[in-house]
Amino acid sequence: MPLAAVGAVLLVLGGAAVAAGVLAWEDVGALADRVVPILAFVAAITVVTELFNAAGLFEWIAARFRRWGGGRAWLLWALVTVLSLAATVFLSLDTTAVLLTPIVVVLARSCGLPPLPFALTAVWLANTGSLLLPVSNLTNLLALHSLGKVSPAEFAARMALPALWCALVPVLAVAVLFRKDLRARYDPLRTSRTPAERDGVRADRVLLGTSAVVLAFLLPGLVSGVAPWIPSVAAAAVLVLAFAARRPRALRWALVPWQLVVFAAGLFLLMEALQHLGGGDLAASLLGSGSGPLDLVRVAAVGAAGSNLVNNLPAYLAFEQAAGGPARLAALLVGVNAGPLVTPWASLATLIWHEQLRRLGVSISWWGYAAAGAVLVPLMVVPAALLAAVP
């Protein structure tokens, strides 16, 4: 509710800007053409991932990983790293924060391992691993408009080197910081009930199989060049029909992230109004101009700083128009995607992640989190911004 309330306030402020003539209706229409498909994708992919979770697909994958880990904590962690990165790249960073966080925590505990290295891997990769594809992050979907509506393959080609570096650094950090914990052993044959089983819900093989098939078709659909909302809505429709036939009680309005949609809609409208009130001039003065190495580092650094001061989504919206060319826009994406690792409010995914940890009884020091992020962000952002210049 707080997120929806903030969104409602933002919508009212945006509406006041329209009423006052700051924003013309033509501007609102152009904004709607740009953001409505994005919001449709966010809503649909959230429904898809929630129903994947309800079907037990992620828990099934985690159980296989436990067996494949062969009793070695480092190998289990490596598999979780791959799963976290894949979920972020193909299903968005919020999927990793919302769904994988409880799974990896429960998985670690069931193996008698400390959950923190697994939980940190999930949240760090949820943010830093979201550079590769348009669907990986809402900021990437927004950037498609300024990049000339490039295909997912063209976007990935531009962001591949920065994405690789920004995924590698936090993985190495976890490996170093938790090297003693990752040397531990566990019993791969030990069984424990999944959260669904503890809640009295038996696994439905039909729903599990349907989810696996939908996932197999969804992943190539998201990188096919078709507007991402189309395969996402289609996948959501198939899953809703399957659940309506097999487990209708699982279908509820709470599956739709309406609070996030209201918040994002209000934020888009207000940021557009601020651009017409001189916000663009301030952004341009902060970002500077030019596409040299130091210019790109400056763009990325300002994006990272803005994300940690406010949030990465408004930071991107504030600086998008001032960024300019493809290399500078790629550097901005590096800053707002990989940079939000210091403050807890820097990205919505981090806030969701922390709420999941609180519910699971996992404590974390925000001072320690901020200190680690303050070290990691420059190590990622500066080289990645320079790599963004590579066409």
Side-chain angles (χ1 to χ4, degrees), residues 36-344:
V36 167
I38 295 174
L39 296 179
F41 164 76
V42 170
I45 202 66
T46 302
V47 171
V48 167
T49 51
E50 289 284 0
L51 292 180
F52 279 167
N53 192 45
L57 180 62
F58 292 116
E59 289 180 355
W60 184 88
I61 294 172
R64 301 287 127 5
F65 280 9
R66 176 178 176 169
R67 186 177 305 168
W68 296 339
R72 297 174 176 84
W74 70 266
L75 183 54
L76 181 66
W77 168 74
L79 292 169
V80 166
T81 298
V82 172
L83 179 60
S84 299
L85 188 57
T88 300
V89 169
F90 290 102
L91 298 176
S92 85
L93 74 168
D94 293 328
T95 296
T96 304
V98 173
L99 300 181
L100 288 194
T101 297
I103 291 173
V104 300
V105 169
V106 170
L107 175 63
R109 282 176 167 170
S110 69
C111 295
L113 300 173
L116 192 55
F118 296 86
L120 275 177
T121 298
V123 72
W124 279 348
L125 286 180
N127 287 285
T128 68
S130 64
L131 278 166
L132 186 61
L133 293 178
V135 298
S136 306
N137 199 320
L138 185 56
T139 55
N140 299 350
L141 289 171
L142 289 168
L144 287 182
H145 177 80
S146 297
L147 288 171
K149 298 182 179 180
V150 297
S151 69
E154 292 170 327
F155 185 94
R158 161 66 68 177
M159 302 303 298
L161 292 177
L164 178 61
W165 178 253
C166 289
L168 180 62
V169 170
V171 170
L172 292 176
V174 172
V176 172
L177 292 173
F178 298 97
R179 57 190 179 278
K180 292 183 178 180
D181 294 328
L182 296 178
R183 293 194 192 108
R185 301 295 294 262
Y186 68 93
D187 182 3
L189 300 179
R190 178 184 172 188
T191 59
S192 62
R193 291 187 302 167
T194 67
E197 291 170 338
R198 287 196 296 272
D199 292 339
V201 179
R202 294 183 178 181
D204 188 319
R205 294 185 178 274
V206 173
L207 290 178
L208 182 60
T210 301
S211 299
V213 172
V214 168
L215 179 61
F217 280 95
L218 176 63
L219 297 184
L222 291 174
V223 299
S224 65
V226 176
W229 70 269
I230 296 176
S232 302
V233 169
V238 171
L239 289 172
V240 166
L241 290 175
F243 270 84
R246 303 287 299 184
R247 199 196 303 167
R249 290 185 178 180
L251 298 176
R252 58 193 189 281
W253 285 111
L255 293 175
V256 180
W258 60 272
Q259 295 186 53
L260 178 58
V261 170
V262 171
F263 172 76
L267 187 60
F268 289 144
L269 187 60
L270 182 61
M271 293 306 297
E272 185 70 18
L274 292 176
Q275 291 292 328
H276 286 73
L277 288 173
D281 295 334
L282 176 61
S285 66
L286 291 173
L287 292 188
S289 60
S291 297
L294 292 180
D295 298 313
L296 296 182
V297 171
R298 177 179 178 177
V299 170
V302 171
S307 297
N308 285 291
L309 286 173
V310 187
N311 180 269
N312 66 333
L313 186 55
Y316 174 81
L317 292 171
F319 297 124
E320 180 190 48
Q321 292 184 15
R328 287 172 56 84
L329 194 62
L332 178 61
L333 287 176
V334 167
V336 299
N337 286 15
L341 295 187
V342 180
T343 59

